[in-house]
Amino acid sequence: MKYPLILGFCIVALDVFVWRLRMPPNEFVRLFVRLALFAALSAVLFSAGLSPVTQAPAADAAGPHWLGQVLEIIWWLMGARLLTLSLDSLLLPRAWRRQRLFSDVFGAVIFLAAVVAALGFVLELPVRGLVATSGALAIVLGLAIQSTLSDVFAGIVLNTTEPYSVGDWVVIDDVEGKVVEMNWRATHLLTGQGNTVIVPNAVASKTKIFNNSRPANVHGISLLLEIDPEARPRTVLDALGRALTGCNAILDSPAPNVRMKRTTLNSVQYEVVAFVDDMSKKQAVSNELFDLCYRHLAAADVSLRALGVPPSAVTARDAKEGLLKRVSLFESLAEDEVAQLAKRLSRHEYQANQQILAPETVPDSLSIVHSGVLSVTFNEPSGEREIARIGPGEAFGEAGLLAGLAMHVSISTVTPCVLYQLSKDDMTPFLKQHVEVAKQMCQLLAYRQNKLGELTSPIPTEPEKGHSVFQWLFDKVRHLHSLHNDS
C-alpha cells in the first residue's frame, strides 16, 4: 500500500470531522460510522506493518518512524474513546447515561489503560517502574484530593442505589429543586426561583433525601394554620374538611385529611394534607386550598388573625355587606349602594345532595354562598362531568339575573349549605336607580362570559353592526329590567 501514513492521517482527520460536526446527526449512526473509520485505520496500519503493539519500523528514518509512532498512539486513544462510546450507547441503561457518572468513570479507566498500553507497546517504556511510581503518586494525590474522592465514591453509591434521578423533584440538605444533572462530583438542582444549587455528592449521601417524584403520580401538599385557641376544634376541623371537599383538583386516594397538630399557650396548629397527581400542580393547588381554608373558616366565624388582637365586632348587617363585597360583580359599588342591596338579601338553607339549579334553566336570582360546598356538573354525550366546585364568597346565576341567559349546567349541594339570594324583583328597582352600576356589571359580565364558555347561552361572536358585546348585553339588561333608554 502506497503512502500508508498519509492515508492513516486522512482517516484520523475524517474521524475528527465527524466528531466535531456531529455528522450524521443520529447518535447511533454516527457511532457506527466512527467504528467503521477505526476499522479502516486498523487495516491500514496492519497492512503497512505498523502494529500498535510494537514500535513503528524504519527506526533509521526519523521522520517516518516518529509519524508511525504518533499514528499508533492515536490508534490506542481513538480505540479507547470508541470503546467508551460503545459502552455508553449500547450497554449502559438510559438512566445511567443521563447521569454521566458511570460514563465518566469508565472513560477515565479506559483512557488510563490505553495510555499505559501506548507507553508500554509503542514507546517501549518501563511500564512496571511507571506503575510503581504512579502508585506512590496516586497515594499523594489521594490525600490531597480526599474530599473530591469522597464525592466520587458517594456519587457511585447514589447512582447505584438511585434514590433520585435526573428530572425528579427532591429535597436535599433542606434545598428543594429539580435534578437537572448528576455527575462524578455533585448533583445540580434547579430551584423554584430559577437558581441552580450544586450539592456535593458526599453531602447528599449523608443527609435525608425527600423525593417528591416518587411515587410518580402522588405528590403531597401540607398547609399549617395557626388558629386562636378560643375557636372550638370541632368547628375548625369541620370547616377545613369542607375546604378539602371544595377543592376538586386534589386526589380522592390517598384521602386528604385534617388534624390538630399541636397546641401552645397562644395558638392551636392545624395541618391540612392533600395530594395531587402532577408535581407542576402543587403550587397552584396549594394557593387554591389555602384560599378555600380561609373562606370556609371565615364562614364558620373562625378567622386567621394576629394572635392577641381582639376580633372586630361584626353585626348581621355587616356580614351581609361583607358577603356582597366579596362578589366580583359588586366590587365597584359604593358603601351605601352595597348597604341597599344587603337589605334585599334573603337567607336559604339546603341539605346535602340537593339540586339548586337544573340544566337549561334561566336563574331569576343571584345566589351567593355563605357556607358549604356546591358541585357544578355538565351533561356530555359520554355522561355527567363535574367541572367545578363552589365555596363561600362565590356566586352563580348572575347571567340569568342580569341578562336572562340560560345556564347549561346543574348545580347541587355537596355539603349542607347556606345561600343568600338576590331576586330579579329586588334587583330591578336598584338598577333603575343606578344605571351606571348596570353598565359596570355588564362590562364585568362580558369579560366573564369569555371564561364561562359552555356554561351559559353563548353570546353572538359577531354582534349586530355598530354594537359591541357589551352593548348587546346591556340591551338585554335594559329590556329585562325595563331600564330607561336615556343612557
Side-chain angles (χ1 to χ4, degrees):
M1 179 183 296
K2 293 184 178 181
Y3 310 115
L5 293 178
I6 297 177
L7 183 57
F9 279 106
C10 288
I11 294 175
V12 172
L14 184 59
D15 180 76
V16 172
F17 176 82
V18 172
W19 167 52
R20 296 298 297 175
L21 298 184
R22 303 178 67 85
M23 298 290 293
N26 185 275
E27 177 184 0
F28 293 101
V29 175
R30 185 167 61 252
L31 174 61
F32 284 115
V33 169
R34 296 189 66 186
L35 288 173
L37 291 174
F38 180 73
L41 177 62
S42 302
V44 169
L45 291 180
F46 283 104
S47 64
L50 295 171
S51 174
V53 295
T54 61
Q55 272 198 351
D60 53 338
H65 173 73
W66 286 109
L67 289 176
Q69 295 281 79
V70 171
L71 199 59
E72 289 180 0
I73 294 175
I74 291 176
W75 182 90
W76 279 104
L77 298 179
M78 186 175 173
R81 179 56 182 163
L82 290 177
L83 179 59
T84 303
L85 290 176
S86 299
L87 290 173
D88 187 20
S89 301
L90 303 177
L91 297 181
L92 290 182
R94 184 178 296 273
W96 291 12
R97 291 179 60 198
R98 291 199 308 266
Q99 294 161 5
R100 304 303 308 166
L101 176 62
F102 285 98
S103 302
D104 294 342
V105 173
F106 288 158
V109 172
I110 292 172
F111 265 98
L112 180 61
V115 169
V116 173
L119 293 177
F121 291 120
V122 179
L123 300 181
E124 294 185 352
L125 295 178
V127 179
R128 290 184 180 179
L130 180 65
V131 171
T133 305
S134 63
L137 182 62
I139 294 175
V140 176
L141 289 176
L143 294 175
I145 58 174
Q146 186 175 4
S147 61
T148 303
L149 289 177
S150 177
D151 290 332
V152 172
F153 287 106
I156 293 175
V157 173
L158 290 174
N159 280 265
T160 303
T161 57
E162 292 187 343
Y164 53 84
S165 58
V166 175
D168 288 352
W169 277 89
V170 298
V171 180
I172 304 176
D173 196 27
D174 294 330
V175 177
E176 182 176 5
K178 181 180 180 181
V179 181
V180 294
E181 182 183 348
M182 296 176 63
N183 55 38
W184 58 270
R185 195 193 74 82
T187 297
H188 295 238
L189 301 180
L190 180 65
T191 67
Q193 291 76 33
N195 302 319
T196 299
V197 177
I198 300 175
V199 182
N201 289 331
V203 174
S205 65
K206 296 177 182 178
T207 190
K208 292 181 181 179
I209 299 173
F210 298 90
N211 193 330
N212 296 324
S213 297
R214 298 179 187 176
N217 297 324
V218 178
H219 309 283
I221 297 172
S222 177
L223 300 179
L224 295 178
L225 303 174
E226 298 280 348
I227 304 297
D228 194 315
E230 295 180 359
R232 182 183 175 185
R234 183 73 267 165
T235 302
V236 177
L237 293 173
D238 289 343
L240 296 179
R242 289 192 293 271
L244 288 172
T245 303
C247 184
N248 60 355
I250 62 178
L251 297 176
D252 294 328
S253 179
N257 61 85
V258 182
R259 69 186 181 106
M260 188 176 66
K261 191 171 184 179
R262 66 187 182 93
T263 61
T264 67
L265 293 176
N266 299 317
S267 68
V268 178
Q269 189 178 78
Y270 294 84
E271 183 179 24
V272 179
V273 178
F275 303 89
V276 293
D277 58 359
D278 192 341
M279 189 69 190
S280 61
K281 297 180 181 179
K282 284 190 66 173
Q283 182 175 355
V285 176
S286 295
N287 294 337
E288 178 186 355
L289 189 56
F290 185 83
D291 179 72
L292 285 170
C293 290
Y294 177 87
R295 288 191 279 137
H296 281 276
L297 287 172
D301 292 328
V302 177
S303 59
L304 295 174
R305 59 181 177 84
L307 299 178
V309 178
S312 58
V314 179
T315 64
R317 178 182 176 184
D318 292 336
K320 289 183 178 181
E321 293 177 8
L323 189 62
L324 279 177
K325 291 294 290 185
R326 289 197 291 271
V327 179
S328 56
L329 280 173
F330 306 117
E331 287 178 347
S332 61
L333 298 186
E335 292 294 334
D336 59 332
E337 296 170 340
V338 172
Q340 291 183 37
L341 278 180
K343 297 177 182 178
R344 304 174 185 270
L345 289 177
S346 58
R347 177 187 170 97
H348 300 268
E349 295 187 11
Y350 298 91
Q351 299 301 315
N353 302 317
Q354 185 175 349
Q355 188 178 57
I356 305 298
L357 181 68
E360 308 302 330
T361 59
V362 179
D364 59 356
S365 63
L366 175 71
S367 299
I368 306 172
V369 183
H370 176 261
S371 64
V373 179
L374 297 97
S375 174
V376 182
T377 57
F378 183 74
N379 289 323
E380 295 180 330
S382 58
E384 195 174 66
R385 175 172 62 94
E386 184 180 61
I387 57 178
R389 290 199 173 182
I390 303 175
E394 296 182 275
F396 59 91
E398 69 276 9
L401 174 68
L402 291 176
L405 300 180
M407 301 286 288
H408 299 323
V409 297
S410 174
I411 300 180
S412 304
T413 59
V414 179
T415 66
C417 297
V418 175
L419 305 182
Y420 282 94
Q421 293 183 345
L422 185 65
S423 67
K424 173 180 175 294
D425 293 338
D426 291 326
M427 191 67 180
T428 297
F430 178 82
L431 292 180
K432 287 183 176 180
Q433 295 176 8
H434 305 85
V435 179
E436 291 299 322
V437 173
K439 288 185 176 181
Q440 293 174 2
M441 290 183 173
C442 286
Q443 289 175 346
L444 182 58
L445 184 58
Y447 169 77
R448 293 187 64 180
Q449 284 299 114
N450 295 328
K451 305 294 184 181
L452 293 175
E454 61 190 12
L455 304 188
T456 61
S457 298
I459 292 177
T461 55
E462 296 182 0
E464 297 179 3
K465 186 176 181 180
H467 291 75
S468 62
V469 172
F470 160 75
Q471 188 62 46
W472 182 84
L473 275 173
F474 186 66
D475 288 343
K476 294 187 72 67
V477 172
R478 189 167 52 194
H479 174 73
L480 183 65
H481 296 276
S482 302
L483 302 185
H484 297 293
N485 193 14
D486 57 359
S487 56

